Amino acid sequence: MDYVSALVPPVVMAAFFIGLVVTIVKSQGGDNKAKEDAAVDAAIARAEAVERQGGTPSGA
């Protein structure tokens, strides 16, 4: 029965990792994609505006 106790941790970790990968893949795109793209576009636009003005971002 030592082999069972030796195999349980890797099997549990593998199941957790598979679940993590599935969650990440499912969260990509879909309904959230437009919202995420808009947030990135807004952040880039703010950074470019600050750069054109020659200042530093307020968050830095």
Side-chain angles (χ1 to χ4, degrees):
M1 294 304 283
D2 288 338
Y3 61 89
V4 173
S5 63
L7 290 176
V8 169
V11 170
V12 170
M13 289 181 357
F16 176 75
F17 182 72
I18 290 169
L20 177 66
V21 170
V22 168
T23 301
I24 290 171
V25 169
K26 283 185 177 181
S27 68
Q28 300 299 310
D31 297 335
N32 293 331
K33 185 166 178 38
K35 185 174 28 171
E36 292 169 358
D37 289 347
V40 170
D41 290 342
I44 290 172
R46 281 193 303 269
E48 288 176 350
V50 168
E51 186 177 304
R52 275 186 255 130
Q53 293 174 355
T56 58
S58 61

